[in-house]
C-alpha cells in the first residue's frame, strides 16, 4: 500500500451533504503510510466534531481501509491561512450564534439546550450569554460558581460540561445594565479577548433579541461559523425573524437553519395536540428563504421547569428532549457542511 492506493480507496467515500467523494472535494488533507509500523494515517478536513454526518464519513473511511491490514489513524483539521496570533479565538473551532428577531420566543432556552446537547454528544463546548441587557443563562443552568480571574484572564465556570460566561456574573443581583452602544461594544470585545475558553469544538453565543449594537459587535468581531434563528409559528414572530435573517445576510454570515419553538401543545390530560400559536410557520419561513428547517419544539411545561431548576431538557428523556436532540444534530451537521464546503470551494 502507498499513498496513491489509499487515495484510490478513499475516492469511494462520499460526503452525504456535498454529494461528491471526499478526494475530489479536497477533504483529504494528507495521507501517510508506514508499512514498517503497520499504520496508515489520514488527515480529513472535517470541522464539526461529533456531528452525525462527519462521524459517518470517518466510519466510512475506516471501512474503506479495513482490509488493508494496516491500523487506521484518523485526524481532523480545517486548514487555516491565519496564524494563531491573527485569530480572534484560536482555540475555538466553531462559533454559533443563536438569534431571534424578537424577545419571548425561547432563544435562550434553545441556546442552553444546544450547548448542553453538543456537550452530551462528546464535544467541548462553551456558552457565551451575550444578552447584555437581560442575561439569564446562569439562572437557567443553576450556575452558582462565579468566574475566577488572575487579574488578566477570566476562567469561566462549568455546568453540564459547558464553560459559561455571562454579563450576569459581572453585575450585582437585580442590577440593571444601563449602557450606551460604545460601552456594549467595549465589554463584549473585552470578554471575547479576556475569557480563557481553552480548546473548544463549539462556542454557542446567546444573542439579545433584535438587530442592535451587540449583534453588530459580534458580527464584526467574531468569525461565526453560522447562526441559528429561533422563532415561534405566529406571523408577528416570523416577521421579526426575517429581519434577523437579513442582518446576517448583510454581513455574509451563514444561517444554519430555522428552529421553531412552541410548535404546538400536547395536553397531558386528554392527549390532544393543540396548535396554540399556529402551525408550520417556521418550516414555511425556512422554505421561503431556501434554508434548512432544524426542527420544532413543542410547548411543554418541562421546558419551563427545566429552565427554572437548571436542568436542560435535552439531557432528559421524552418527546421534547428528542425534539431538542434533533435540532442539536442538525446544527452540528450544518456547521460541518459550512466548514467542508469552505474547504472544497477554496481548494
Amino acid at each position: 500500500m502507498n499513498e496513491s492506493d489509499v487515495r484510490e480507496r478513499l475516492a469511494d467515500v462520499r460526503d452525504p451533504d456535498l454529494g461528491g467523494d471526499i478526494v475530489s472535494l479536497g477533504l483529504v488533507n494528507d495521507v501517510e503510510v508506514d508499512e514498517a509500523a503497520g499504520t496508515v494515517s489520514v488527515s480529513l478536513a472535517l470541522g464539526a466534531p461529533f456531528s452525525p454526518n462527519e462521524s459517518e464519513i470517518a466510519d466510512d473511511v475506516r471501512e474503506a481501509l479495513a482490509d488493508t491490514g494496516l491500523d487506521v489513524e484518523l485526524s481532523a483539521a480545517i486548514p487555516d491561512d491565519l496564524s494563531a496570533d491573527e485569530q480572534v479565538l484560536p482555540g475555538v473551532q466553531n462559533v454559533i450564534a443563536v438569534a431571534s428577531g424578537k424577545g419571548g420566543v425561547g432563544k435562550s432556552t434553545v441556546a442552553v439546550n444546544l450547548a448542553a446537547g453538543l456537550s452530551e454528544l462528546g464535544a467541548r463546548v462553551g456558552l457565551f450569554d451575550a444578552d447584555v441587557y437581560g442575561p439569564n443563562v446562569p439562572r437557567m443552568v443553576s450556575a452558582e460558581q462565579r468566574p475566577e480571574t488572575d487579574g488578566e484572564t477570566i476562567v469561566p465556570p462549568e455546568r453540564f460540561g459547558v464553560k459559561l460566561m455571562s454579563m450576569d456574573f459581572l453585575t450585582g443581583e437585580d442590577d440593571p445594565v444601563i449602557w450606551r452602544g460604545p460601552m456594549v461594544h467595549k465589554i463584549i470585545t473585552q470578554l471575547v479577548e479576556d475569557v480563557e475558553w481553552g480548546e473548544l469544538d463549539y462556542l454557542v453565543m446567546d444573542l439579545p433579541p433584535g438587530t442592535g449594537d451587540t449583534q453588530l459587535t459580534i458580527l464584526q468581531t467574531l468569525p461565526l461559523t453560522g447562526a441559528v434563528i429561533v422563532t415561534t409559528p405566529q406571523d408577528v414572530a416570523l416577521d421579526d425573524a426575517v429581519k434577523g435573517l437579513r442582518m446576517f445576510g448583510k454581513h455574509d454570515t451563514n444561517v444554519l437553519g430555522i428552529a421553531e419553538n412552541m410548535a404546538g401543545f400536547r395536553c397531558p390530560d386528554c392527549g390532544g395536540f393543540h396548535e396554540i400559536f399556529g402551525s408550520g410557520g417556521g418550516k414555511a419561513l425556512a422554505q421561503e428563504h431556501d434554508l434548512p428547517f432544524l426542527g420544532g419544539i413543542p410547548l411543554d411545561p418541562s421546558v419551563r421547569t427545566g429552565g427554572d431548576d437548571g436542568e436542560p431538557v435535552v439531557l432528559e428523556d421524552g418527546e421534547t428532549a428528542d425534539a431538542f436532540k434533533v435540532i442539536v444534530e442538525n446544527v452540528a451537521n450544518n456547521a460541518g457542511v459550512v466548514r467542508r464546503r469552505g474547504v472544497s470551494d477554496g481548494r
Side-chain angles (χ1 to χ4, degrees):
M1 291 291 293
N2 56 35
E3 178 180 346
S4 178
D5 296 328
V6 172
R7 288 183 179 271
E8 184 177 351
R9 286 170 174 262
L10 296 183
D12 291 331
V13 177
R14 299 189 66 78
D15 186 305
D17 301 300
L18 302 185
D21 71 85
I22 62 173
V23 174
S24 62
L25 288 171
L27 301 182
V28 180
N29 296 326
D30 190 34
V31 173
E32 291 185 6
V33 179
D34 187 339
E35 290 193 338
T39 63
V40 54
S41 301
V42 180
S43 172
L44 300 171
L46 304 180
F50 298 95
S51 72
N53 286 1
E54 291 203 349
S55 296
E56 178 185 334
I57 291 173
D59 290 341
D60 289 347
V61 167
R62 292 188 179 92
E63 184 176 350
L65 301 174
D67 63 352
T68 62
L70 301 173
D71 291 332
V72 180
E73 299 176 352
L74 298 186
S75 61
I78 296 291
D80 197 324
D81 295 333
L82 297 177
S83 67
D85 292 338
E86 296 174 304
Q87 296 176 29
V88 179
L89 292 168
V92 179
Q93 288 198 47
N94 297 283
V95 182
I96 298 174
V98 180
S100 66
K102 67 187 299 294
V105 298
K107 169 186 54 60
S108 293
T109 296
V110 172
V112 166
N113 280 277
L114 174 59
L118 289 169
S119 177
E120 184 74 1
L121 289 178
R124 300 167 297 178
V125 184
L127 175 57
F128 191 164
D129 181 4
D131 192 346
V132 174
Y133 298 109
N136 49 30
V137 164
R139 175 186 290 274
M140 296 176 71
V141 295
S142 295
E144 298 178 359
Q145 182 182 354
R146 312 295 284 187
E148 298 179 357
T149 179
D150 58 7
E152 295 183 1
T153 60
I154 301 171
V155 180
E158 290 190 23
R159 283 285 287 165
F160 307 107
V162 176
K163 295 183 178 181
L164 303 171
M165 180 49 60
S166 171
M167 275 302 304
D168 190 55
F169 291 139
L170 308 179
T171 59
E173 187 175 357
D174 298 328
D175 285 348
V177 176
I178 308 173
W179 290 343
R180 293 188 184 275
M183 189 62 184
V184 172
H185 176 88
K186 181 178 180 180
I187 192 66
I188 291 293
T189 303
Q190 186 174 357
L191 286 177
V192 167
E193 294 175 349
D194 293 347
V195 173
E196 192 65 43
W197 291 109
E199 298 292 324
L200 294 181
D201 299 315
Y202 303 92
L203 176 60
V204 178
M205 306 281 296
D206 178 21
L207 303 189
T211 55
D213 290 318
T214 305
Q215 291 88 336
L216 184 60
T217 295
I218 289 170
L219 286 168
Q220 293 176 337
T221 304
L222 296 178
L224 296 181
T225 300
V228 173
I229 304 295
V230 182
T231 186
T232 51
Q234 71 265 45
D235 290 342
V236 66
L238 296 171
D239 289 344
D240 288 331
V242 171
K243 297 175 184 177
L245 286 175
R246 289 175 178 166
M247 173 185 70
F248 289 113
K250 287 182 178 181
H251 289 82
D252 297 323
T253 299
N254 293 288
V255 174
L256 303 178
I258 309 292
E260 184 180 88
N261 195 22
M262 307 180 197
F265 170 69
R266 188 174 302 284
C267 177
D269 297 324
C270 69
F273 189 76
H274 308 281
E275 294 170 334
I276 298 174
F277 297 110
S279 65
K283 182 176 288 187
L285 178 67
Q287 291 174 343
E288 179 182 351
H289 293 273
D290 195 25
L291 292 169
F293 179 62
L294 300 171
I297 306 156
L299 186 62
D300 187 341
S302 68
V303 175
R304 192 267 306 165
T305 56
D308 289 345
D309 298 341
E311 179 77 24
V313 176
V314 71
L315 303 179
E316 302 175 357
D317 295 321
E319 179 183 5
T320 304
D322 291 342
F324 273 117
K325 290 171 184 175
V326 168
I327 290 175
V328 169
E329 292 184 354
N330 284 336
V331 169
N333 281 336
N334 293 347
V337 172
V338 169
R339 302 297 303 281
R340 301 196 306 279
R341 182 178 289 141
V343 172
S344 183
D345 291 347
R347 72 186 188 280

